[in-house]
Amino acid sequence: MLDPLKTSSYDYNLPKELIATHPISPADCARLLVYNRNTNKITHTTFKHLMDVLPENLSIFLNDTKVIKARIFGTKDTGGKIELLLNKPLFMDRYLVMIGGKVRVGTKLFFDENLNAEVLEVNDDGSRVVTFFQNHKKLDFLELVEILNKIGHLPLPPYMNRTDEKKDEQDYQTLFAKNYGAVAAPTASLHFTPELLEKINAKYDVNYLTLHVGAGTFKPVDAEDILNHPMHSEYFEIGIDAKKALDKAQKVLAVGTTVTRTVEYYARTNKIQGECDLFLNPVNQPIKVDYLLTNFHLPKSTLIMLIASFVGLEKTLEIYHEAIKEKYRFYSYGDGMLII
């Protein structure tokens, strides 16, 4: 029996060959499943024909976050090898990270380019708090990003099961990526080509906001009841122009789950920057976003639960099963869906 509050209800079987490990080229050749809630019909097209299926008089919102080369490899002071994944900056030049291997408070880590880190805290959830130094100088975020751009690797999602390649530096950033801070791309936006973006800009009111996608986006829901899941938080910022556009928008299309959560958090709190920890699901539905353009998400994830907040659990599973039957490509480099 399906229960929208039970995590197990959001499971589905995905054949391994449908997990996309590289993007389609050109990007707008990706397939697009369109679900129309008024007619209850599913149709199939491609991103190249997105303009043909979008409603009129839309305000479109996109996420201009930029992915950091957040994965670095180094050694501990004992000589053991370690892998570090930067998650996000905290206050006072401290950083939340994940470290593969055992480290305790006080452990020093060494990387290329004379980059060092010291472990300050070990958290219960496995994350760590560190400070970074170069030549004994403590690093702020932009200084750190500059070094990571030289020595780091793009943190491709684990399900791609491969290391990053040179081409990913282009493929795993949106055309409008601007503000460094994400450890995962806002993947719905990876389907835009310059031509498609130009057409959308010519016809619609297009706006940008920022939500820095954190590693928590991949964290599966472990709780049996979805409402017991401790939702991760991610830093967001809505500029003055985007705020004005949101306030007067008649119909909002959110490109991606990150934009959806940011807009919905603003609609509930009136905050234009801070930490967004909003968990959208069938009992916490959107109040501001009308339409959603997104990719296909992992089973039992908060993201598939977000889809269910728009169309309900049963319809979500029906859409996903249809996409599997039609052999759509799934996840970050995969195809997309539009809910109108």
Side-chain angles (χ1 to χ4, degrees):
M1 179 70 181
L2 286 177
D3 179 347
L5 292 182
K6 290 277 176 280
T7 300
S8 55
S9 297
Y10 295 86
D11 201 5
Y12 66 89
N13 289 316
L14 182 71
K16 273 206 169 65
E17 66 270 16
L18 296 186
I19 298 174
T21 56
H22 292 83
I24 288 286
S25 182
D28 61 0
C29 286
R31 295 167 75 193
L32 180 65
L33 181 154
V34 183
Y35 173 58
N36 186 316
R37 286 170 291 182
N38 291 332
T39 61
N40 194 27
K41 288 272 190 336
I42 292 173
T43 51
H44 303 283
T45 182
T46 65
F47 273 84
K48 196 170 272 190
H49 300 289
L50 177 63
M51 298 292 285
D52 302 336
V53 290
L54 282 182
E56 300 288 317
N57 305 318
L58 276 184
S59 291
I60 298 178
F61 291 84
L62 299 154
N63 185 359
D64 65 6
T65 189
K66 195 167 187 177
V67 184
I68 308 166
K69 289 188 173 181
R71 179 171 281 133
I72 51 176
F73 299 89
T75 54
K76 291 190 277 192
D77 38 20
T78 57
K81 289 185 175 176
I82 55 111
E83 176 184 338
L84 181 147
L85 176 71
L86 175 69
N87 191 350
K88 62 181 178 183
L90 305 170
F91 294 111
M92 305 293 289
D93 299 332
R94 294 151 77 248
Y95 299 87
L96 189 68
V97 303
M98 303 296 290
I99 298 174
K102 283 190 178 170
V103 293
R104 53 171 68 93
V105 171
T107 301
K108 293 198 167 49
L109 312 171
F110 302 92
F111 306 95
D112 290 344
E113 292 286 319
N114 290 325
L115 179 67
N116 304 334
E118 183 179 348
V119 179
L120 303 178
E121 294 172 33
V122 174
N123 298 325
D124 292 341
D125 65 358
S127 63
R128 313 281 193 261
V129 176
V130 304
T131 47
F132 285 101
F133 298 87
Q134 188 183 45
N135 302 325
H136 307 294
K137 178 189 180 292
K138 195 188 277 193
L139 298 173
D140 67 26
F141 181 60
L142 290 178
E143 290 169 331
L144 177 61
V145 166
E146 210 170 295
I147 298 167
L148 293 181
N149 277 339
K150 292 179 188 167
I151 69 170
H153 296 262
L154 280 172
L156 294 182
Y159 50 71
M160 284 195 197
N161 217 7
R162 68 175 178 86
T163 53
D164 61 320
E165 301 159 7
K166 189 72 184 158
K167 199 167 180 309
D168 292 308
E169 292 184 20
Q170 190 176 337
D171 291 341
Y172 201 59
Q173 297 281 19
T174 66
L175 292 175
F176 38 81
K178 181 176 155 192
N179 300 307
Y180 275 116
V183 298
T187 54
S189 295
L190 297 179
H191 300 291
F192 290 104
T193 58
E195 297 75 29
L196 180 55
L197 206 52
E198 201 178 308
K199 284 181 191 167
I200 283 173
N201 275 308
K203 182 174 178 183
Y204 294 104
D205 172 36
V206 178
N207 303 274
Y208 296 89
L209 47 79
T210 306
L211 180 131
H212 293 317
V213 193
T217 192
F218 298 117
K219 191 178 188 309
V221 177
D222 294 325
E224 198 175 308
D225 183 321
I226 68 168
L227 300 182
N228 292 332
H229 174 67
M231 188 63 181
H232 61 282
S233 74
E234 294 160 318
Y235 179 79
F236 78 96
E237 203 167 312
I238 300 170
I240 297 301
D241 291 345
K243 179 193 184 304
K244 284 179 184 164
L246 267 178
D247 290 342
K248 67 173 205 275
Q250 297 302 304
K251 293 286 181 186
V252 171
L253 168 69
V255 179
T257 56
T258 60
V259 171
T260 305
R261 290 178 57 238
T262 307
V263 169
E264 290 296 325
Y265 190 76
Y266 168 69
R268 287 159 170 76
T269 65
N270 220 26
K271 290 180 180 171
I272 56 170
Q273 72 177 113
E275 292 284 326
C276 172
D277 61 355
L278 180 65
F279 180 17
L280 291 168
N281 57 66
V283 294
N284 188 19
Q285 297 174 357
I287 59 175
K288 181 69 178 171
V289 176
D290 302 284
Y291 310 117
L292 172 64
L293 180 64
T294 186
N295 278 24
F296 294 95
H297 305 292
L298 292 161
K300 299 197 220 176
S301 64
T302 58
L303 303 181
I304 192 172
M305 293 165 189
L306 182 148
I307 305 305
S309 77
F310 279 84
V311 298
L313 170 62
E314 283 83 359
K315 184 53 71 175
T316 299
L317 293 174
E318 185 189 316
I319 289 169
Y320 271 58
H321 290 143
E322 169 81 2
I324 291 167
K325 181 168 75 85
E326 294 294 324
K327 295 196 166 20
Y328 272 65
R329 300 164 76 252
F330 272 59
Y331 306 156
S332 297
Y333 272 154
D335 299 315
M337 63 184 282
L338 174 66
I339 297 170
I340 55 174

